[in-house]
Amino acid sequence: MKKFFSALLAVAIMLSFCACTAKKETALVISGAEIDTEIFTYFFHRIVERPSDYGIDAEAKDKVFKETAIQECKEYLAANTRFAAEGLKLTSAEKVQISEAVNDLWLRFENHYKAIGVSKQTLTKIRTAEAYEDRLFTAIYDLGVENLGAEAIIQNYFYSNYVSFRNVCVYFTKADGSVMSQLEKNQLLEAMNSMREISDVQKFIDTASAAGYSSSDSVILKKDSGGYPDGFFDRVAAQSDNTVDIIEYEDCVFAVFKENLKDKGEGVYANYRSACISDIYSAEYQQSIADYTAQMGVDEKGSINKIVNKYL
C-alpha cells in the first residue's frame, strides 16, 4: 500500500506539473493527481463513438458513459503509477513506436482530434500509457524461458489450444453451381475416405492433386477462432498426428491431414508465446487493475458535465 501511494504521489506531481505548464483545465482529481479535460474528452468521446467496445448499450443513460470514462481515466493513471512503482523504463525503440503511431494518427485524423479538443501531446500521453500497460503485463507474467515452471504452463496451453494441419475442402456443388446428386456426393465421399490410410504429408498433397484438388498450406488454428465450421477444431485436435480424418458438413467435406505441431520447431511456439501469455493471464491482470483503481478517490470538476452535455 505504501508503494502504491508513493508512486501515486510522484505521478500526481508530474501530471499536475504538466497540466500547469500546458494551462489545461482540470476535469478530475484522482487521488491527488489532476486529469485534464483533454484526457477525459479523449476517453469520453471514444466511448460515445463505440459504446459496444465497452459493453455499453447505445441507449444507456449519460451517467453510464461518464462513469466509464472516469474509469478509463483511473486506468490511465494506474498505468502511470504502476509503471513508476515498478521502476520500469521504455526502450528507445518503444518510444519511437509511440511517436510513429501518434504521427500516423495525427496525419490521418488531425481535424477530428482538433474538433473535439484533443492535442497531439495528449495522444502521445495516451499511447505512452498503453505502452506502460503492455510493459507492465510483460514484466509481471513473462518470466522468461529460463523459468521452467512458468514456461511449462505456457507450452501446455499452446499445445492444448492450437493445432496444425493441411486440408482439402470440397463443396457439394458442381462447376455450374448446381447441387451434387446423392450418387455424386457418395462418390466424392468414397474418394475422400480412401485418403484415411495416408500417413505422409507429401502423399496427402500428391493424392489430392491427382484427384483434381489442391491442398491448403500448413494451417495453425487456435481453439474457438473463426474461419472453420463448428466443431472443426475439436475433430482435428482429437486426431492422432500424421493421420487423415474426413469431416463432413451439410454443404462440404474436409479431408484433414493433422501435422505434429512440435515437429515444426521452437520457432513456431516462439511466434505464439506472447499471445498464449495474454490468453492465460489477461483476466488476472485486468482484475489487478480493477483492485488497484478501486483504491482511488475521485473528485469531479464542473468541466466534466460540459463535456458530457456537448457529446450526448
Side-chain angles (χ1 to χ4, degrees), residues 233-306:
F233 177 91
D234 293 332
R235 281 288 296 269
V236 178
Q239 277 182 247
S240 297
D241 293 334
N242 301 314
T243 64
V244 175
D245 190 16
I246 306 304
I247 307 175
E248 183 181 349
Y249 290 92
E250 183 177 351
D251 60 346
C252 66
V253 59
F254 289 87
V256 181
F257 184 93
K258 185 181 180 183
E259 299 174 314
N260 186 319
L261 193 50
K262 291 183 179 180
D263 285 348
K264 291 190 168 292
E266 288 298 312
V268 171
Y269 164 69
N271 289 338
Y272 289 87
R273 185 175 176 276
S274 293
C276 290
I277 294 173
S278 180
D279 288 347
I280 297 167
Y281 296 111
S282 282
E284 178 181 314
Y285 183 63
Q286 290 303 315
Q287 184 59 53
S288 75
I289 293 173
D291 294 341
Y292 194 91
T293 56
Q295 302 176 65
M296 296 176 170
V298 177
D299 178 19
E300 297 181 25
K301 301 303 179 182
S303 56
I304 275 200
N305 289 328
K306 294 178 184 178

Side-chain angles (χ1 to χ4, degrees), residues 1-11 30-31 71 73-86 133 136 140 284-297:
M1 184 69 74
K2 188 174 182 180
K3 187 178 183 181
F4 162 72
F5 285 111
S6 296
L8 191 57
L9 178 60
V11 174
I30 303 177
S31 295
Q71 178 60 28
C73 289
K74 289 169 75 173
E75 292 181 14
Y76 161 81
L77 178 59
N80 283 275
T81 56
R82 295 179 81 183
F83 194 81
E86 294 296 331
E133 286 283 7
L136 275 165
I140 294 169
E284 178 181 314
Y285 183 63
Q286 290 303 315
Q287 184 59 53
S288 75
I289 293 173
D291 294 341
Y292 194 91
T293 56
Q295 302 176 65
M296 296 176 170

Side-chain angles (χ1 to χ4, degrees), residues 109-177:
F109 305 114
E110 178 181 357
N111 291 338
H112 165 74
Y113 287 122
K114 284 183 175 179
I116 65 173
V118 171
S119 66
K120 191 174 183 181
Q121 179 189 40
T122 293
L123 280 181
T124 301
K125 290 180 181 179
I126 298 291
R127 283 296 179 130
T128 299
E130 291 172 355
Y132 287 168
E133 286 283 7
D134 292 341
R135 174 62 80 81
L136 275 165
F137 181 85
T138 299
I140 294 169
Y141 296 108
D142 188 349
L143 304 181
V145 296
E146 299 82 8
N147 189 311
L148 300 182
E151 196 63 16
I153 292 173
I154 302 168
Q155 288 186 349
N156 182 66
Y157 179 87
F158 176 65
Y159 292 114
S160 298
N161 289 273
Y162 289 80
V163 293
S164 178
F165 62 90
R166 293 173 184 263
N167 76 91
V168 173
C169 177
V170 183
Y171 283 84
F172 298 134
T173 53
K174 295 185 286 189
D176 62 2

